[in-house]
Amino acid sequence: MSNIFPKWTNRLPLILLVGGLVAGACVVAGVTYYFTPKYTRVGYEPIQPVAFSHEIHSGQMGIDCRYCHNDVDKSWFSNIPSAETCMKCHTQVLADDPRLAPIRESFEKNKPIPWVQVHKVPDYVYFNHAVHVNRGVSCVSCHGKVNEMKVVQHSKPLSMAFCLDCHRNPHESVRPHDEVYNLDWEPPADWSFDREGVELVNKMNVRSSQNCSACHR
Amino acid sequence: MKAPTQKGQVTNASETQYWRSIGQSIGKEEHPDWADREFPEGASELPENFSRRDFLKLMGASAGLAGAGMLGVGCRRPEEIIVPFGSEQEPGQDYVHGVPMYFATAMPTRTGAIPLLAESNEGRPTKVSGNPDCPSVEGSADGFAYASILNLYDPDRARQYIKNGKVFTKWNALDELSKMGSEEGKRTAFLMPDSTSPSRKRLIKDIQAKFGDRVGFYVHEALDFKIHQRAATEAFGRPIRPSWKLAKASVVLSLDCDFMGAEEGSGHYTCDFSKTRKLAKASDQMSRLYSVEALLTQTGANADHRLRSNASQIALVASYLARKLGIEVPSGSADVDTGLTDTQTVWLDACLKDLKNHSGKGLVLSGYRQPEAVHILVHRINDALGNNGKTIEFLPVESEETGSLQDLANDLGKFDRVIDLGCNVQYDGGASIRGDAITQRTAFRLTHFKHDESHSSEGITNAPRAHYLESWGDAFTSDGTLVPVQPLIAPLFDAMSELEVLAAFIAGKEKRSTAYEVVQSTFNEIAPEQSWERYLHVGFLQDSQTTPVNAEDLKFSSDVPLIEVAPIKTGEVELIFTRDYSVDDGRFANNGWCQEVPDPITKITWDNVISVSRLTSEELNLKHGEMAELRLGEEKVEAPVWVQPGQADNCVGLPLGYGRTGKLRIANFEYESRPLINNEFFGSEKIPVGGFDFYPLRSHPGESIVRGGKIRSTGKAYPLSSTQEHWSMEGRPIIREATLSEYRKSEAKRASEIDKEDYNEKHFFPDNLGLGSHARNEGKIYKHPYKANPETQSDMHQWGMSVDLNSCMGCNACVIACQSENNIPIVGKEQVANGREMHWLRIDRYYTGRDHNPQAASDIPIKDMGQNGDDVQHTEPWIDDPQVVNMPMSCVHCESAPCESVCPVNATVHDAEGMNVMAYNRCVGTRYCSNNCAWKVRRFNYFDYNKRPLENLYDSPMTKPSLFFDWLGDREKSSKDEDEWDLLKLAKNPQVSVRMRGVMEKCDYCSARIQNAKIAKKVKAGASGDVMLKDADIKTACQSACSADAITFGNLLDKDSAVVAEKANTRTYETLDFLDNGARTTYLAKVRNPNPDMPDAYEKPFSTKEYKASEGHGDEHDHHHHEKEGDH
């Protein structure tokens, strides 16, 4: 009886095993890298209907975040301002600038501008802005240095691991209450997370929950 | 699992029998196999005929779906748009997007109003709750009020102004009304539902003044709650209405008066009555409730003594009591001596003695079903007992110049047209009136339902009727406090309110006032000095309640009425029409929450039944669960028969409000037969949903008791969906109860033994009764969440709940409030039959029998018990006079939770604050947790109940490929009708996830409320450390819904919290405490207050008597300890 299978097939199980392992490892590595928020989200920088620059408004001119996002300390939702807010200044400043035409149109016709959403957590996450900014967590922790962005960019992954990092070690993220909206604040040279940070956490009685129920309900 | 031999259980379970249904009561040495199953038959099984090929098809389709999903979605998220408001003013003052707003408003009822706080999320009203600031009702509301929010989003609401098929606008309709008002020579009749609105009254007066006899006003209600006012007015000869002060009464006798359920204002009565049932300590005083009634009502179910009597015999009871009190009852009146049996008179004598002993602190009540003569007699009885002015007050009312529906039928010739402000006389007008003639003459009408439009004859202008949350109005509460009805949203379909109709009519050619202006000027007339803004803000006019008439000024004006009651003829039955606990008189019939909430007594959903007593069913050869034909004169109705424990013989109970016709997606639809799914329950025929209409048997509205009905079985089986067969108790002491004297004795013993070594304070009372478990070693079987890692436990908040079974009356308000708060879907009749209802909170109702010995009845072979054990349940004689107990049951949040141990994906875990939480996104639907839950409180989404229509839940991409392409096109798409989907979405609470198919869910102590309360507290705290929640900061939905304050929730670490005080009560016990799970929800044992002089007195509640009577109970302890030791 002649051999049906050539000789190399003797090594087939080994080839399959090694090949399978390599392929499996590649898939795992690929998914881990390309499918995670770090890859899919960070750097997301959609083109907005109006070329609004946070760098000019917040950075150069130093307008407080809450001038426009005035509900951020009251609601889970940090509101996007209506054109009326823009027009408080832009009736005087750059009143005829063609780049502001959509704003003027929106203001006159009471027709909102369709901004493209940059930061978003899934629907099953109940994130709350108010409780963070009122309790010593700065905007910069999740949004990065928006005051240096010409176009707003997704700078942090906002994944569950990202949230938990902070919730596990709140003393590394909290800052004095009046520096929350100061995006350029740096801890003083003698600031230590383990000393001042912990002290702040104790003073404010910060209880950053790591339970499912904190965000999922 | 063989429950009766469960290790660690103290009592001999086979001796102690609580039963959830009559079927269960027959008791077995070996318990039936249905009790072992996790879910009832069919609930967790693949349909029959589901072949391997079908399975492969399904798997293939799933794989295809997965692949297509990947392609379609890609890795990147879709681009989403975020839209600000057009201007800063647009959302309105004080609006912060994402923060719910609360407005004070009120739900108008027939004879009063329920003051409410309505929650608005993004401009949508999503939840109502009782207004706790309003002193007249103290925040109490009934289940109907909580469900009413869904009526706003009723998919079958009328939506168009339409006449002869032509659609037009609201302005056209108002113009038409104004034209009617200015037309000379035409005479108009108004037909309206009842209301207490002073604005409406004012407009009616103005119209009467302006038009004289060219207008007529007629009020129609299918249920006659005005009888109380009419009878008092008749008795005392002046316009007054009675106001019961149940909180002040220590002995109450209810003569067919279901003040905890079917009477209007039951929420407030329950609130008042429960105050007299609170026992913080054994020496506290507790009221006693006697009930004489025909049907088993909620009031009767909560009574300490209950006497069965035909509804028409109540008149005999009243005249017997009156005569005994020395009141001259005219001769020729009912023959008292022959009308009542000896048993009944002995009962009544003892009861009357108790009432006499509590002169001025007693109260005799007569219900709306009783004729005026009985009410007048009862006023005399109360007067003789010295109760008038004390436990019953009389409030002056303005006399009204309105007629009844009968008057309108008689006067119809006088009028050229009828304007109908929202009565559905064709449905509920009764046989003798029928409404046809009235409808023919109708020129304009407000309609509830879309299908009414197509029903209407030519020439009628149909206008959609506005819901109270979208129109301005006002009303008086039961004590006369003025409350505003404030809209939270612009009318969804530009609907019109009755005030707008009247205002347009009176305006004629002049300028019309808006409903807002009408209400405001009424307010200014009533309280010119007061602030309108404040009135709207707080939701009531301070100190505006009516001052009662001085009782000494009240003199009886009418003679004692003649009462004649002939005995019921053999073979005939007495018909008792009653307000349904779920759908009222039909006004809530198209409300899914109301249809699916189990009737508090029968636990039937989605249907009504003809209830009969056991003896009557035997005599007339009626079969439990089978159709019967009920005839009265010319009219006949077919409906299923239900043998109801505790019902009087020779009468049938007929709940109204079902059997709607027309296209109503909730109240009237059919399940298609499905060849693929061979459903054992429904067979292959089409099954209708929505019950049976008993209105045709009534001759006129308000009629409640009719003699001369004939009933015969037609032998057809009818599928009823009742939730009561599920989750068998197996006779374990789940509900513990005692009599007041037992409780006091137990407390005395406790006081004397307090210094003893093995004194266990917490469980002393149940122990003294032999009901408690001695096995207390938390975390023995299941992992304790904190023992190994104490640092994971919060030292600030630990949540707990206490439920006082002595206060709970089983009214269902909490069930509906929970449904509204937590986005709980309805599943439909078919799925309820499969045991798949989704209510996070259920109310278990158990019957116990005086001479019931479960072991003695065990000679029926198991195979004859039928699938659910209910084939023989109605034959046991002792069901005739049962005791009833209610128990709200939801997740008890075990510390050592059995569900957590078995979850393979950690979807249900413990949080730091003692709660057993669900992470829906982790759940993969293994249902192990539900398997392992001893309380059976976990609910599984077998279908996508939110998105699929109830009648097509089984549709899948496999049976209906278009669903797959729909899904590809729009992931949010529902296979419900688009208009229904759009409306239903509006009712959802955005603070709580809407769960999809394949996810387990359960009570989470209103986790969203807790988190939001914590966030609010932290936001307020800012840089300070004051973040601990107090009682005032957090209330669960069920807690705030409970009129009886039976539910207490709070922080166990806060020594000032109410829940700590409640749990310190010695009546506290844990359900299934032998499992050592450390449940965070504990119960306070029920205490009954029987009168030892009564013929039906009992030393112990029937249930306890059964435990105690069991032989060898004392040995049981030893036995138990041995077992325990063997465990080690």
Side-chain angles (χ1 to χ4, degrees), chain B residues 491-543:
Chain B
L492 287 178
F493 303 108
D494 223 2
M496 196 186 273
S497 71
E498 52 184 19
L499 290 185
E500 286 175 300
V501 174
L502 294 174
F505 186 83
I506 196 177
K509 287 173 184 142
E510 291 152 41
K511 189 185 162 290
R512 286 193 287 266
S513 12
T514 62
Y516 176 80
E517 287 161 356
V518 170
V519 173
Q520 191 174 24
S521 51
T522 308
F523 172 79
N524 289 337
E525 243 173 55
I526 294 175
E529 308 288 299
Q530 304 277 335
S531 153
W532 164 251
E533 279 78 17
R534 177 152 181 81
Y535 166 63
L536 295 182
H537 178 75
V538 298
F540 60 95
L541 181 61
Q542 197 86 43
D543 302 325

Side-chain angles (χ1 to χ4, degrees), chain B residues 1072-1084:
Chain B
L1072 309 187
D1073 51 356
F1074 56 89
L1075 292 174
D1076 291 347
N1077 287 356
R1080 281 288 171 91
T1081 301
T1082 53
Y1083 293 83
L1084 296 187

Side-chain angles (χ1 to χ4, degrees), chain B residues 26 133 279 337 421 431 590 680 724 737 856 910 937 1078:
Chain B
I26 45 188
D133 298 331
L279 291 171
D337 300 325
L421 298 183
N590 206 42
E680 213 174 300
Q724 71 165 11
E737 42 175 346
H910 237 76
V937 289

Side-chain angles (χ1 to χ4, degrees), chain B residues 64 277 505 613 706 749 790 794 849 933 987 1000 1126:
Chain B
R277 308 287 281 189
F505 186 83
S613 76
V706 193
K749 190 173 168 217
S794 166
C933 174
M1000 189 60 78

Side-chain angles (χ1 to χ4, degrees), chain B residues 706-1004:
Chain B
V706 193
R707 288 297 185 78
K710 300 240 180 184
I711 185 166
R712 63 173 185 90
S713 177
T714 63
K716 263 188 290 176
Y718 181 83
L720 286 168
S721 288
S722 163
T723 60
Q724 71 165 11
E725 289 295 340
H726 307 170
W727 304 285
S728 160
M729 283 294 176
E730 292 303 305
R732 286 176 269 184
I734 303 299
I735 290 190
R736 296 174 188 175
E737 42 175 346
T739 57
L740 187 60
S741 57
E742 266 188 301
Y743 174 44
R744 288 188 173 146
K745 234 182 277 170
S746 153
E747 285 296 275
K749 190 173 168 217
R750 185 178 84 90
S752 69
E753 291 182 5
I754 200 154
D755 298 328
K756 284 198 177 167
E757 208 173 305
D758 54 353
Y759 169 75
N760 180 341
E761 186 179 23
K762 196 172 164 196
H763 295 275
F764 208 77
F765 163 65
D767 281 0
N768 276 347
L769 298 173
L771 304 175
S773 165
H774 292 244
R776 298 225 43 87
N777 188 359
E778 280 164 11
K780 204 170 199 177
I781 312 173
Y782 299 105
K783 202 182 113 206
H784 193 279
Y786 310 127
K787 281 214 172 118
N789 305 298
E791 74 282 357
T792 57
Q793 183 172 20
S794 166
D795 58 358
M796 187 157 67
H797 298 129
Q798 290 297 325
W799 304 112
M801 184 180 273
S802 176
V803 182
D804 187 354
L805 296 180
N806 212 30
S807 303
C808 175
M809 315 291 170
C811 71
N812 278 338
C814 52
V815 178
I816 294 194
C818 174
Q819 191 151 24
S820 174
E821 171 74 18
N822 292 307
N823 297 334
I824 297 171
I826 53 164
V827 302
K829 175 177 173 178
E830 182 188 36
Q831 298 305 322
V832 172
N834 285 342
R836 294 171 178 173
E837 69 271 15
M838 295 300 292
H839 296 136
W840 286 4
L841 172 62
R842 66 176 190 260
I843 297 182
D844 290 335
R845 182 265 299 116
Y846 307 105
Y847 298 120
T848 56
R850 177 183 288 271
D851 303 314
H852 181 224
N853 185 345
Q855 285 195 320
S858 61
D859 48 348
I860 305 156
I862 287 178
K863 65 179 169 53
D864 291 344
M865 287 176 65
Q867 179 187 317
N868 290 318
D870 58 0
D871 291 6
V872 290
Q873 60 191 7
H874 51 279
T875 59
E876 293 286 313
W878 62 274
I879 63 170
D880 294 348
D881 281 299
Q883 276 184 356
V884 185
V885 271
N886 292 306
M887 175 186 234
M889 175 59 80
S890 62
C891 176
V892 295
H893 292 267
C894 309
E895 282 178 358
S896 307
C899 49
E900 292 171 14
S901 308
V902 293
C903 180
V905 291
N906 264 358
T908 182
V909 288
H910 237 76
D911 79 357
E913 302 181 344
M915 286 193 323
N916 168 248
V917 295
M918 275 298 304
Y920 301 124
N921 281 69
R922 277 185 180 171
C923 180
V924 295
T926 64
R927 288 172 277 144
Y928 294 163
C929 54
S930 181
N931 255 335
N932 217 29
C933 174
W935 287 261
K936 291 285 164 268
V937 289
R938 290 182 157 264
R939 306 297 193 189
F940 186 65
N941 288 275
Y942 282 90
F943 295 100
D944 215 342
Y945 297 115
N946 285 297
K947 284 188 174 178
R948 298 263 170 93
L950 291 178
E951 61 270 41
N952 293 326
L953 288 171
Y954 284 88
D955 280 355
S956 71
M958 197 174 80
T959 58
K960 208 174 172 188
S962 65
L963 285 176
F964 172 64
F965 296 105
D966 285 351
W967 179 83
L968 270 190
D970 181 3
R971 233 56 59 77
E972 299 295 311
K973 199 173 160 59
S974 152
S975 50
K976 279 191 196 278
D977 297 335
E978 205 161 310
D979 59 338
E980 185 179 7
W981 180 234
D982 284 348
L983 277 172
L984 286 180
K985 280 194 286 194
L986 295 177
K988 298 286 183 228
N989 179 1
Q991 311 292 338
V992 179
S993 303
V994 175
R995 286 79 55 186
M996 71 167 292
R997 181 176 60 173
V999 174
M1000 189 60 78
E1001 58 185 68
K1002 56 144 203 122
C1003 163
D1004 58 5

Side-chain angles (χ1 to χ4, degrees), chain A residues 40 75 84-85 207 217, chain B residues 76 80 82 88 97 795 993:
Chain A
T40 56
S75 169
E84 200 178 336
T85 310
R207 310 238 170 182
R217 29 175 131 129
Chain B
R76 286 264 175 207
E80 284 185 38
I82 185 165
E88 282 176 13
H97 187 75
D795 58 358
S993 303

